[in-house]
Amino acid sequence: MSTQDGPILIIGTERSGSNLLRLVLDAHTRIAVPHPPHFMRYLSGIPYDGDVDAMVGDAMSLLGDHIHPWPHVIDRAAVSEAAGPSLFGVVAAIYDQYRVAEGAARWGCKSTFMVEHVDEVLAQLPDARFLWLVRDPRDVAASAKRAVFGHCHPYRMALRWTAEQELARAALERWGPSVVHLVRYEDLVSAPDREIRAICDFIGEAFEPAMLAHHLGGNARVTASLSASWRTAGDPITTARIGAHRRGLSDRERRQVESVTARAMETLRYPFDRASLDEPAPGPLGVALRGFAVRMAVEARSLRTDRNHFRRWRRDATVRRLRRRAKTHRALVPAGESR
């Protein structure tokens, strides 16, 4: 079996088991997958106009305020020297430095938002491979309702899930199964040996037994200790969270999620109640008010339990500052001129 050294990117929707899959891959001796600062999510909308120094500076600021600090120092000068002319070129240079520090042959990225950048990644790194991780959207919505990292309102999470599955399916159709591999969370946790071996075949790596015991590694323990939203990262692979929506969503919330996601659910083999197709969409004011109330409760819990709570606030402030600066720059620079 031949191997390639291209990166491995997990795409799809957050709260789908991406931390589990990240740690499974990271347990392989040839693969290093740090927790992502979500560079492309937070910075891709900023018009850098090819200014590599600005891109590197902003990426390093984001990394410095990362809610899951990396164990290695990234050399800014080396990133600038190695980075390509695009924002993803900067991201790849940063991840490659991490890979070298870990002594691995290839790096991985678990920022599921990279589903929006598949073509861009492949234009620069044609050996990249994508793991499309999908989970029952009702369970995704139930998980997000309790987490500090996603939309707390199930209806809004359902809209995101649908849009991101459509992007992932389009990538699979465009690039084919040799580049994009579908992984169902439910299959991964129900038959981990079979599914992880299939993933290894797809990425061109030999299976290693440590991948079935990711929770025994130090990275899993660190992740689980930082936030209540990540506490299961330190657990063995389990089917216990299949069907979490039965406890985490009300009947109305479940119907709302199914009304939005039904078409994709059917394609991805998730049964649902067809009566939900008649469920009216909630009003935007109700969504906003309910989402705000749940968010405040989640924030209060995070303040009590999470070690990285204030780092997350600082990260969010950094993102707002960078975007505000970009908006001010656009207002000051006449159309047609670059920075």
Side-chain angles (χ1 to χ4, degrees), residues 2 14 24 37 40 70 78 82 84 128 161 226 229 243 282 313 317-318 324 332:
S2 62
E14 58 184 345
V24 166
M40 298 298 289
W70 287 7
W161 185 90
L226 288 173
S229 297
W313 280 5
T318 295
R324 185 167 57 247
L332 294 176

Side-chain angles (χ1 to χ4, degrees), residues 135-136 138-140 142 185-186 239-249:
R135 183 186 184 190
D136 186 320
R138 296 163 297 193
D139 289 348
V140 170
Y185 168 82
E186 293 78 12
T239 60
R241 286 173 286 281
I242 295 178
H245 69 276
R246 296 186 182 93
R247 301 178 302 278
L249 297 181

Side-chain angles (χ1 to χ4, degrees), residues 198-234:
I199 289 170
C200 287
D201 287 343
F202 167 70
I203 61 177
E205 296 289 352
F207 169 79
E208 294 183 359
M211 301 175 80
L212 291 170
H214 74 282
H215 61 291
L216 299 179
N219 287 343
R221 290 193 295 272
V222 169
T223 298
S225 72
L226 288 173
S227 172
S229 297
W230 297 335
R231 68 183 183 279
T232 58

Side-chain angles (χ1 to χ4, degrees), residues 60 73-80 97:
M60 294 300 293
V73 175
I74 301 301
D75 187 316
R76 174 172 176 165
V79 170
S80 296
Q97 236 189 89

Side-chain angles (χ1 to χ4, degrees), residues 90 173 184 191 194 256 278 329:
V90 172
E173 291 175 353
R184 295 176 82 252
R194 182 193 70 200
Q256 288 174 348
D278 298 324
H329 175 79

Side-chain angles (χ1 to χ4, degrees), residues 56-79:
V56 172
D58 287 358
M60 294 300 293
S61 293
L62 194 57
L63 182 60
D65 290 333
H66 188 20
I67 59 177
H68 192 307
W70 287 7
H72 308 294
V73 175
I74 301 301
D75 187 316
R76 174 172 176 165
V79 170

